[in-house]
Amino acid sequence: MTRPEFSRPHRLTPERRHLELEATAAERAALAGRFGILGISELTAALDLAPEPGGVIRARGRLKARVTQECVATLEPVDQAMDTPLDLRLLPPGTPPADDDPDSPDEIESENGTVDLGEAVAEQLALALDPFPRRPDAPEPAPEAAAEVRPNPFAALARLKGS
């Protein structure tokens, strides 16, 4: 198995902890390549870890990033600052994720009591990326052209039936 670009393995323990994660320039460049974007000039995460019943660890905090994507209209660079909340449930080994509610925290099963928080942050960054980045000065997309509107094929049948 290959190691993720931004790997920060963390052993799960029942103590409350505060963690600060920061990607290096090489890690950011590798993540930009993985996500198919022009660049990531900053990627940090602050996480507070707290135990919950059943050996679960709740990780809450913020992800901050500066990314450069390609404008969908002009293909020119679009710089974006991101400040996204993080809310994760880190599950003990052998406890598969069970919550399918999209509004619930993401659940990550640990392996041998360890979870890669860097990879978890990278995945959250990927989810937070704008799928259609546009420069503020980019031209607006053209409305549906009238020429593309096709006549109803049943209108011709109705006319034939009426005669």
Side-chain angles (χ1 to χ4, degrees):
M1 182 174 157
T2 60
R3 184 178 167 143
E5 299 87 346
F6 179 41
S7 183
R8 298 293 186 278
H10 178 75
R11 179 151 270 329
L12 299 182
T13 61
E15 296 87 29
R16 290 181 175 274
R17 299 178 90 173
H18 177 80
L19 299 174
E20 300 278 340
L21 307 177
E22 183 172 358
T24 66
E27 291 167 333
R28 294 190 311 266
L31 284 172
R34 174 174 151 192
F35 300 149
I37 62 175
L38 299 176
I40 302 172
S41 60
E42 175 189 334
L43 174 58
T44 63
L47 293 168
D48 291 313
L49 280 59
E52 288 189 342
V56 172
I57 303 295
R58 189 72 172 262
R60 291 183 172 125
R62 299 208 72 78
L63 173 152
K64 293 184 180 184
R66 289 184 133 345
V67 301
T68 303
Q69 293 180 268
E70 200 170 72
C71 174
V72 295
T74 66
L75 304 180
E76 294 178 31
V78 178
D79 294 324
Q80 298 170 318
M82 304 170 75
D83 186 351
T84 305
L86 295 174
D87 191 3
L88 307 168
R89 293 185 74 231
L90 311 175
L91 307 175
T95 307
D99 193 346
D100 293 332
D101 182 356
D103 294 328
S104 294
D106 285 345
E107 296 180 325
I108 302 170
E109 183 180 1
S110 66
E111 190 173 308
N112 299 322
T114 301
V115 67
D116 192 335
L117 293 176
E119 177 59 16
V121 167
E123 290 172 359
Q124 295 299 308
L125 172 63
L127 292 171
L129 289 172
D130 185 346
F132 304 105
R134 292 183 69 82
R135 292 181 55 88
D137 58 347
E140 290 298 317
E144 291 293 323
E148 293 179 26
V149 177
R150 293 183 179 182
N152 183 342
F154 297 105
L157 290 174
R159 283 192 303 272
L160 288 174
K161 188 176 179 182
S163 26

